[in-house]
Amino acid sequence: MPGNTLYIVVPCYNEEEVLPETARRLGDKLRALMAAGKVSPRSRVLFVNDGSKDKTWELIEGLHRDSHLLCGVNLSRNRGHQNALLAGLMTARDKADMAVSMDADLQDDVDAIDAMVDKYLDGVDIVYGVRSSRKTDTFFKRTTAEAFYRLMELLGAETVFNHADFRLMSRRALDGLSQFTEVNLFLRGIVPMIGYRTDTVEYQRGERFAGESKYPLKKMVAFALEGVTSLSVKPLRMITALGFLVFLASLVMIAYNVARWATGNTVTGWASLACSVWLIGGLILLALGVIGEYLGKLYLESKDRPRFLIQQVLDGEEESDKR
């Protein structure tokens, strides 16, 4: 039977409004799982403070003083959701047999953790939390989200449809994740690359309990662009195909103009020339932009900078500063 120490990893950025309720629900869930004999008394909730500007870290410190089940990691500065999540998972890696990652806003169903743990105990290494429906989303949110997943699939990036970052990973899967060293993180695409035995748990995503969404439209678009360019080179191949099509079109236009000249029907005009210039110019700028995205990623990867730095850890057994 596999080990059963569970860490629930929760990235936090300016979550002071929702954090007390999140801590209460997750603490109750851990106690219930312990009472049922499914997880070890060494199990913990691990909050990761991603450079919050409010009192999130002070709240985490207070929660830790009140209960040894509630622990914390304080990053040295804001590093973004994906890096904060990775920091928590790598901190939990040496302490836990399995780790569940979820957001702090309580939109992920806490009760779905039971089914995830059951599947882990049955030998599954990665359990994805998958939304059963998007009825609670606005039409715009639902349409753009589904379009994102289908675009990723079209571009050859392997992701799990309607899955965000609510998942369970075994220690073996966490060890596999630690070997992916890229700076440009898109965990929704990286985790499926790990392999091992996987399964899914469906859940109904709820409304945000309190506070504001940390993913407005601008960040959602940037996140989608990060995912596409981190996992697939198909956009580069599409540029090649587009360039070839434009080249064929130019050959057709040359043949047409030669035929018009031979029959004495040439007409001097600027409209077709202007349209051609704008079209070719736009395609060139688009191509340079896509290539620039990939070059920028290569530049960042070549620097091999740390993805996160941990300032302080509160782990339920000891407190340590890491500077």
Side-chain angles (χ1 to χ4, degrees), residues 73-91:
V73 170
N74 190 25
L75 301 188
S76 62
R77 58 180 289 267
N78 178 258
R79 294 296 299 160
H81 178 272
Q82 297 290 278
N83 284 300
L85 178 53
L86 182 69
L89 292 174
M90 293 300 100
T91 300

Side-chain angles (χ1 to χ4, degrees), residues 171-210:
R171 178 180 291 182
R172 180 167 71 156
L174 291 174
D175 288 340
L177 178 62
S178 70
Q179 297 181 49
F180 288 79
T181 58
E182 54 254 54
V183 173
N184 302 284
L185 278 179
F186 188 73
L187 293 176
R188 299 182 198 184
I190 293 175
V191 173
M193 295 181 187
I194 297 173
Y196 300 135
R197 184 179 171 188
T198 65
D199 206 337
T200 61
V201 167
E202 289 193 351
Y203 72 100
Q204 185 67 43
R205 190 168 173 84
E207 298 290 339
R208 183 179 177 86
F209 181 79

Side-chain angles (χ1 to χ4, degrees), residues 16 22 30 32 59 69 85 107 131 146 159 179 215 231 241 270 292 302 314:
E16 64 177 358
T22 302
L30 267 191
L59 278 173
L69 295 180
L85 178 53
Q107 289 187 280
R131 296 182 63 169
E146 292 181 353
T159 57
Q179 297 181 49
Y215 270 92
L231 300 175
W270 61 270
S302 68
L314 309 173

Side-chain angles (χ1 to χ4, degrees), residues 44 64 68 70-71 314-318:
R44 301 287 184 266
H64 174 66
H68 69 282
L70 307 175
C71 307
L314 309 173
D315 62 8
E317 297 177 357
E318 62 180 357

Side-chain angles (χ1 to χ4, degrees), residues 11-182:
C12 303
Y13 178 69
N14 294 343
E15 299 288 3
E16 64 177 358
E17 293 182 54
V18 72
L19 200 56
E21 180 65 16
T22 302
R24 184 188 69 79
R25 293 192 193 182
L26 292 179
D28 290 346
K29 176 55 61 181
L30 267 191
R31 294 184 188 95
L33 289 169
M34 290 176 189
K38 292 184 177 181
V39 303
S40 159
R42 298 187 301 275
S43 300
R44 301 287 184 266
V45 178
L46 184 65
F47 295 107
V48 183
N49 179 45
D50 184 24
S52 297
K53 298 177 181 178
D54 60 5
K55 296 181 180 179
T56 294
W57 180 243
E58 287 82 352
L59 278 173
I60 294 172
E61 289 179 312
L63 292 167
H64 174 66
R65 286 193 296 268
D66 294 339
S67 173
H68 69 282
L69 295 180
L70 307 175
C71 307
V73 170
N74 190 25
L75 301 188
S76 62
R77 58 180 289 267
N78 178 258
R79 294 296 299 160
H81 178 272
Q82 297 290 278
N83 284 300
L85 178 53
L86 182 69
L89 292 174
M90 293 300 100
T91 300
R93 174 184 162 206
D94 296 328
K95 306 172 184 293
D97 299 300
M98 52 180 157
V100 170
S101 59
M102 61 184 299
D103 291 337
D105 56 18
L106 293 176
Q107 289 187 280
D108 297 327
D109 185 7
V110 174
D111 291 330
I113 295 175
D114 297 69
M116 290 181 171
V117 172
D118 288 340
K119 289 183 181 292
Y120 164 79
L121 294 175
D122 286 338
V124 179
D125 283 286
I126 303 174
V127 185
Y128 298 103
V130 177
R131 296 182 63 169
S132 57
S133 69
R134 288 187 171 270
K135 294 179 181 179
T136 58
D137 287 349
T138 63
F139 174 79
F140 177 77
K141 173 70 174 177
R142 181 170 60 253
T143 304
T144 54
E146 292 181 353
F148 164 74
Y149 287 109
R150 299 192 188 285
L151 176 64
M152 296 294 287
E153 182 180 359
L154 177 66
L155 293 176
E158 183 182 357
T159 57
V160 178
F161 189 76
N162 273 343
H163 164 71
D165 287 303
F166 185 29
R167 70 179 74 88
L168 178 147
M169 299 179 69
S170 68
R171 178 180 291 182
R172 180 167 71 156
L174 291 174
D175 288 340
L177 178 62
S178 70
Q179 297 181 49
F180 288 79
T181 58
E182 54 254 54

Side-chain angles (χ1 to χ4, degrees), residues 229-246:
T229 54
S230 294
L231 300 175
S232 174
V233 295
K234 276 196 174 181
L236 293 174
R237 293 172 181 168
M238 290 170 65
I239 289 176
T240 302
L242 184 60
F244 182 70
L245 290 175
V246 172

